[in-house]
Amino acid sequence: MLSSRVEKTNSWLLSRVSARVLTAAAGGAVGWWFGQRMGHPTMLALLCAAAAVLALSVLDTLKGYQILDWLRTPEANAPEMPGLWGEIAHRVQRVIRQRDQLIAEERRRLDQFLSGIQASPNGVILLDETEHITWISTVAADHFGLDPVRDLHQRVTNLVRQPTFVQYLQAGDYREPVKCLMPWGGQGYLSLQVRRYGEGLKLILSQDITERERSDTMRRDFVANVSHEIRTPLTVLNGFIETMGSLPLTDVERARVIMLMAQQAERMQTLVADLLTLAQIEGSPRPSSDRWIKVDGLMQRLENDGLGLSRGRHPMSFSMDDQGQHAEIAGVESEWLSAMGNLVSNAVRYTPDGGAIQVRWLTQPEGGGEFSVQDSGIGIDPEHIPRLTERFYRVDGSRSRETGGTGLGLSIVKHVVQRHGGELRIASEAGKGSTFTLTVPTARVRVS
Ligand code: ADP
C-alpha cells in the first residue's frame, strides 16, 4: 500500500520533471533555431528554454490558485483541468465527498437517536459539566416551560428556579427521584431524576406524575371515607351492644334498641352493596351492545320500586313516548336498573312530602334516547353540581344519611352511563327542584 503510494508520487514527480525538461528542451530548440539565424544560437536557446519553464510555472501557479479558490467553497464541483492539478482536484473532491457522506450518516443516526428520545413520554434535558443545557426534548420543554432552541447553553438553574429541583441538583445525591410541583407553575407534579454520564455530564429525566398523584390522593381519600362511613354505624352498634349487655332493659326498650341496631346494620349493608357495585362496574369490561333490554320492563320495575320507596308521599308519574313501548336499550340490565333506580330513589329522598316526581323515557327521533327524573324537591346550589358525582360528596351529609344515602349513588350512575357511551346531565335550582337526565347513544337504542 505504502510502496504503491510512493511509486505513484515518484511517477508524478517524474512526470512534472520530465514535463519541465521537455518544455525547456522544446523552448531551447526553438531558441536555437531562431538563434542560428540571428547569430546567437546558444544565448537564445537558453533564454527560450528559461522562458518556457517560467511560462509552465506560471501556468502551474494559476492552476494552483484556481484549486485554492475552489477549496473555499468545496460544495461546488472541482474545476476541470488536465494533468496533475486535475488529478489533485479530483482526489480532494473525492475525500471531501466521503467526509461529507460520513458526517451526513452520523447526523442521520444522531437525529434518529434523538427522535427516539423525543418519542418517550418522559422528558430529557442534557447538561454539560457546568450545568448548562445542551439539549432539551420537547416533553421536557413542556414539563419545565423551556424553549428547546432559545434556552440552549443557558445554566439550567437560571431558568428552572423551583427550590426542590435546585436543591436536588446541587445536593448531588441522585439515587432516588424527587417529586416537585410543575416548575412553570402549572397544576401538577413532576418526578425528576438526575443521572451522571460521560465526564461530568448530567441528564435530567422528568416524568409527569400528576395523574398518579391524583389517583393516589383519590385512593387515600376513598379509604378514609369508607373507614369513616363504616366506623360511625359500628360505633353506634357497639354502644347498643354494651347497653344491652350491661343494663336491664324492658321489652319495649329492648325492641327499640334492636330496631335501631337493625337500622345501623342495614346502613352498613347498603354501603357495602354500593361499594361492591362500584368495584364491579370499574373492574368489568365495557358492556357489549348486543344484549337488549326492554325499556318498558325497566320502567315497570322502576315504578314498583319508586312507589314502594315513596309510600304515597309524592305524586309520581312514569311515562314513555309512543315508541318507548317498543324501545330497547343495549347493555347490562342490572347496571341500567341500578343507575335509573338511584335517580328515582334520590328524587324520593330529596323531595319533601307532597312534591311531584316525573320519570320519563323519550325515544329521540334522530336516534338514541333519554331517561329523565324530574322532582320538585330541595334542589341544589350551582356550585355543588360539578362535584355531585364524586364519591361520598354530599350537599347535606345528615339529610343523606338520615334517608339511607351512602354518597355513592351518583358515582355509580355516572360510571354506568359512561360505560354505555351516554352521559349524565344535571339541571337544578335550589328550593325548586332538579332534573337528572341519562342519555343513551343511538347505537344502544332500537325500536322493534
Ligand atoms: P346520597 O347517597 O347522599 O344521596 P348521591 O351520590 O346519590 O349520594 O348524591 C350525592 C348528593 O347529591 C346527595 O347527597 C345530595 O346532596 C345531592 N342530590 C342527589 N340527588 C338529588 C336530588 N334529586 N335533589 C337534591 N339533591 C340531590
Side-chain angles (χ1 to χ4, degrees), residues 346 349-350 375 380 388 393-395 400 405-407 409-410 436:
N346 280 355
R349 287 168 43 234
Y350 297 107
D375 66 50
I380 307 155
L388 291 183
Y393 188 85
R394 292 148 160 140
V395 177
S400 157
T406 59
L410 290 180
F436 287 76

Side-chain angles (χ1 to χ4, degrees), residues 257-445:
V257 166
I258 288 177
M259 191 266 288
L260 291 171
M261 286 170 75
Q263 262 178 12
Q264 296 304 323
E266 195 184 316
R267 194 174 144 188
M268 281 199 291
Q269 210 167 14
T270 320
L271 176 68
V272 171
D274 274 1
L275 284 171
L276 284 175
T277 308
L278 254 185
Q280 194 243 325
I281 291 172
E282 282 178 347
S284 54
R286 204 179 155 88
S288 71
S289 45
D290 55 1
R291 289 173 63 184
W292 294 94
I293 314 140
K294 283 192 183 324
V295 174
D296 188 21
L298 281 176
M299 289 294 277
Q300 199 55 58
R301 288 169 71 176
L302 290 170
E303 186 170 348
N304 291 342
D305 294 348
L307 293 176
L309 272 174
S310 164
R311 279 185 264 115
R313 287 176 294 135
H314 309 92
M316 293 182 89
S317 73
F318 291 81
S319 62
M320 280 186 286
D321 63 314
D322 290 344
Q323 285 194 314
Q325 311 283 343
H326 311 285
E328 289 178 307
I329 56 175
V332 182
E333 184 169 9
S334 59
E335 289 187 18
W336 277 121
L337 204 59
S338 164
M340 294 169 171
N342 262 305
L343 294 185
V344 175
S345 139
N346 280 355
V348 172
R349 287 168 43 234
Y350 297 107
T351 302
D353 292 359
I357 296 171
Q358 282 147 7
V359 182
R360 294 192 193 93
W361 168 264
L362 195 66
T363 317
Q364 302 286 18
E366 65 276 13
E370 261 185 24
F371 171 82
S372 65
V373 180
Q374 185 179 4
D375 66 50
S376 52
I378 59 172
I380 307 155
D381 273 326
E383 73 261 27
H384 296 292
I385 294 181
R387 300 196 57 192
L388 291 183
T389 54
E390 286 175 24
R391 294 162 186 190
F392 297 111
Y393 188 85
R394 292 148 160 140
V395 177
D396 175 353
S398 52
R399 182 174 183 128
S400 157
R401 288 186 189 91
E402 271 165 27
T403 54
T406 59
L408 294 173
L410 290 180
S411 314
I412 295 175
V413 175
K414 188 181 121 188
H415 263 87
V416 168
V417 73
Q418 278 183 347
R419 276 161 54 75
H420 287 83
E423 62 177 296
L424 165 67
R425 288 200 219 115
I426 307 172
S428 186
E429 207 179 322
K432 293 226 167 128
S434 318
T435 305
F436 287 76
T437 307
L438 299 184
T439 63
V440 189
T442 314
R444 287 187 182 266
V445 179

Side-chain angles (χ1 to χ4, degrees), residues 178-337:
V178 68
K179 182 180 95 179
C180 71
L181 278 166
M182 285 279 182
W184 50 272
Q187 294 282 313
Y189 290 93
L190 283 185
S191 165
L192 302 176
Q193 181 141 36
V194 174
R195 294 266 177 222
R196 295 178 210 273
Y197 73 103
E199 286 177 21
L201 307 177
K202 289 187 187 114
L203 172 147
I204 303 172
L205 285 166
S206 62
Q207 189 186 8
D208 188 342
I209 53 165
T210 313
E211 263 315 300
R212 197 167 76 195
E213 281 296 305
R214 214 169 61 91
S215 60
D216 276 0
T217 314
M218 270 174 62
R219 191 173 41 78
R220 273 196 300 272
D221 287 355
F222 183 65
V223 172
N225 278 324
V226 170
S227 314
H228 176 78
E229 293 291 331
I230 289 184
R231 200 179 52 195
T232 315
L234 263 183
T235 313
V236 179
L237 267 177
N238 254 335
F240 284 139
I241 290 167
E242 270 175 31
T243 310
M244 286 181 84
S246 55
L247 293 177
L249 298 174
T250 63
D251 283 352
V252 178
E253 285 169 336
R254 180 180 295 273
R256 190 176 140 66
V257 166
I258 288 177
M259 191 266 288
L260 291 171
M261 286 170 75
Q263 262 178 12
Q264 296 304 323
E266 195 184 316
R267 194 174 144 188
M268 281 199 291
Q269 210 167 14
T270 320
L271 176 68
V272 171
D274 274 1
L275 284 171
L276 284 175
T277 308
L278 254 185
Q280 194 243 325
I281 291 172
E282 282 178 347
S284 54
R286 204 179 155 88
S288 71
S289 45
D290 55 1
R291 289 173 63 184
W292 294 94
I293 314 140
K294 283 192 183 324
V295 174
D296 188 21
L298 281 176
M299 289 294 277
Q300 199 55 58
R301 288 169 71 176
L302 290 170
E303 186 170 348
N304 291 342
D305 294 348
L307 293 176
L309 272 174
S310 164
R311 279 185 264 115
R313 287 176 294 135
H314 309 92
M316 293 182 89
S317 73
F318 291 81
S319 62
M320 280 186 286
D321 63 314
D322 290 344
Q323 285 194 314
Q325 311 283 343
H326 311 285
E328 289 178 307
I329 56 175
V332 182
E333 184 169 9
S334 59
E335 289 187 18
W336 277 121
L337 204 59

